[in-house]
Amino acid sequence: MAYVMDTNEEERVKGKTVEVGRAHFETETTRFTILDAPGHKSYVPNMISGASQADIGVLVISARKGEFETGYERGGQTREHVQLAKTLGVAKLLVVVNKMDDPTVNWSKERYDEIESKMTPFLKSSGYNVKKDVQFLPISGLLGSNMKTRVDKSICSWWNGPCLFEALDCIEVPLRDPKGPFRMPILDKFKDMGTVVMGKVESGSVCEGDSLLVMPNKAQVKVVAVYCDENKVRCAGPGENLRVRLSGIEEEDILSGFVLSSVVKPIPAVTEFTAQLQILELLENAIFTAGYKAVLHVHSVVEECEIVELLQQIDPKTRKPMKKKVLFVKNGAVVVCRVQVNNSICVEKFSDFPQLGRFTLRTEGKTIAVGKVTDLPVA
């Protein structure tokens, strides 16, 4: 499956996914866009941009002896991905135990149960409600077993649950407001008979002929055409991955992380905001204090930032602010702080638009904190 989704030569030669691959498939009731995000440590920023567009996460875990253990142990990639997925708003998770046909596994129920029992407490600690929002199922990607149709009892006698496509069909995706103010973070842009931008609509609807703003630089643009999965459409609503052709702006004046937004209620553009952060794992010997610098990832924005002030620490048990003044915090702490960036970025309060108000902080290739925007400066 990965080989098919890895579209460029580099990925196939290395045998690793680097970019976020896109593909479309349909079941009888639903149209899906697959965003194949890389698992390898060096490409986590790409994984963040993929996960930030997703509604459902399919976490593929290898049942092969030794492979599950490597991804799951401290510092392994499976752990980081689950924490990131939760922060980036992937509310529902399918944990797919792959390679069940491997000679070391042979569709063993014991091995499947072992993986499920090890993953469950960890998924809980990352904030997932395992009973409600997580589903485990066994597959063999190579043979296609239990993907489109249920696995044959002669191969796996103990599995009575759904196959992958059935499970995907049953998941309820988050509601987005088609009548809300229009918001589409721009992931990519190119020239094609004008300027074309790509992204996923997080709120509102867009139609041919609409006048919109490209924020933060307030450029007024007109929608010339809207494409959804290669097909030209007149209008499109929230949740769709689109390509939109614009007039009134040059391709070089748009950066990834800009947001296509309604004129009446444009998205706020700020250089500072207040956020609640959960510190995951700082680099060794680092303390988190005012003056701490990191790279901020929020929807499709990647921007250097600095923590300018720690406002209060939150007690993880009571979820209420602690009384004493906070000067620095360590791993695991939850803290409210002021974050500053060099260039204007488009964000929303988490309470208004969760998809545009949650972010991650990374340092030297490692995710050190996840957070949500709690307040924006008054314009």
Side-chain angles (χ1 to χ4, degrees):
M1 179 70 179
Y3 187 82
V4 177
M5 292 287 293
D6 290 346
T7 45
N8 65 24
E9 277 309 300
E10 175 196 8
E11 300 186 311
R12 292 193 166 174
V13 172
K14 282 185 178 169
K16 294 175 191 156
T17 306
V18 179
E19 293 295 331
V20 175
R22 275 170 180 266
H24 307 284
F25 71 93
E26 291 185 21
T27 59
E28 281 171 16
T29 56
T30 322
R31 203 174 73 242
F32 289 94
T33 302
I34 305 177
L35 300 152
D36 176 25
H40 194 268
K41 193 171 213 124
S42 321
Y43 308 117
V44 169
N46 297 0
M47 180 263 169
I48 292 175
S49 83
S52 67
Q53 305 162 62
D55 295 320
I56 304 172
V58 180
L59 182 66
V60 183
I61 288 180
S62 166
R64 186 182 287 162
K65 226 168 177 42
E67 285 191 0
F68 163 67
E69 286 70 12
T70 313
Y72 174 67
E73 278 157 13
R74 211 175 165 77
Q77 282 318 101
T78 305
R79 296 177 75 92
E80 185 173 16
H81 282 180
V82 170
Q83 286 165 332
L84 284 171
K86 184 65 188 165
T87 319
L88 296 164
V90 179
K92 305 282 184 186
L93 209 53
L94 283 179
V95 183
V96 174
V97 182
N98 189 19
K99 302 191 186 176
M100 289 297 288
D101 60 306
D102 191 80
T104 63
V105 186
N106 216 352
W107 293 92
S108 144
K109 185 174 187 332
E110 286 71 3
R111 177 63 169 160
Y112 176 81
D113 290 346
E114 176 196 2
I115 290 174
E116 185 169 343
S117 66
K118 281 189 174 161
M119 283 303 293
T120 301
F122 169 62
L123 291 166
K124 276 185 182 155
S125 71
S126 297
Y128 279 100
N129 176 335
V130 178
K131 282 198 178 73
K132 226 173 64 186
D133 299 331
V134 180
Q135 192 175 355
F136 286 82
L137 60 132
I139 66 160
S140 158
L142 193 63
L143 303 176
S145 314
N146 210 32
M147 288 180 74
K148 199 170 178 183
T149 49
R150 294 192 180 196
V151 62
D152 202 297
K153 285 283 185 212
S154 63
I155 298 174
C156 177
S157 55
W158 50 269
W159 181 251
N160 300 313
C163 64
L164 180 59
F165 280 22
E166 288 174 316
L168 283 169
D169 264 345
C170 294
I171 291 182
E172 291 171 16
V173 294
L175 292 168
R176 293 186 178 81
D177 186 0
K179 292 191 167 58
F182 185 69
R183 300 281 184 269
M184 184 181 107
I186 295 170
L187 277 162
D188 208 355
K189 38 103 197 235
F190 54 89
K191 273 195 171 98
D192 176 19
M193 294 162 42
T195 302
V196 179
V197 294
M198 287 167 68
K200 176 176 166 193
V201 181
E202 293 295 1
S203 158
S205 305
V206 61
C207 293
E208 230 174 84
D210 282 359
S211 292
L212 296 171
L213 285 179
V214 174
M215 295 294 289
N217 50 6
K218 299 190 174 73
Q220 293 213 338
V221 294
K222 203 166 177 91
V223 176
V224 182
V226 181
Y227 295 89
C228 177
D229 303 351
E230 314 297 319
N231 306 321
K232 192 166 190 248
V233 292
R234 217 172 57 76
C235 283
E240 295 281 11
N241 283 289
L242 301 182
R243 296 204 317 263
V244 182
R245 182 173 289 127
L246 304 172
S247 66
I249 193 164
E250 289 303 317
E251 179 249 357
E252 52 267 19
D253 295 334
I254 299 174
L255 295 173
S256 164
F258 282 13
V259 177
L260 204 51
S261 140
S262 56
V263 178
V264 181
K265 201 175 172 200
I267 187 167
V270 299
T271 54
E272 188 183 287
F273 57 88
T274 307
Q276 182 174 317
L277 279 180
Q278 164 134 30
I279 311 294
L280 300 175
E281 218 175 326
L282 297 168
L283 299 179
E284 279 184 31
N285 305 331
I287 47 171
F288 192 86
T289 165
Y292 192 95
K293 290 185 169 62
V295 179
L296 168 81
H297 291 257
V298 51
H299 58 85
S300 50
V301 172
V302 181
E303 190 67 55
E304 291 195 356
C305 73
E306 183 178 337
I307 307 300
V308 282
E309 186 187 1
L310 302 189
L311 300 170
Q312 49 195 190
Q313 191 167 349
I314 307 282
D315 185 329
K317 289 194 184 73
T318 62
R319 308 224 162 181
K320 293 199 161 55
M322 296 180 185
K323 289 269 193 300
K324 67 177 205 295
K325 190 156 171 49
V326 53
L327 294 170
F328 68 93
V329 291
K330 295 184 180 149
N331 289 351
V334 177
V335 61
V336 178
C337 54
R338 270 180 37 232
V339 183
Q340 203 171 51
V341 286
N342 299 334
N343 303 310
S344 244
I345 59 165
C346 298
V347 291
E348 293 272 13
K349 280 180 11 192
F350 180 82
S351 51
D352 298 340
F353 286 90
Q355 298 90 339
L356 303 171
R358 53 173 117 236
F359 62 90
T360 58
L361 292 183
R362 306 190 80 236
T363 314
E364 293 180 26
K366 192 166 147 193
T367 304
I368 56 130
V370 293
K372 53 188 184 183
V373 178
T374 52
D375 213 0
L376 296 171
V378 181

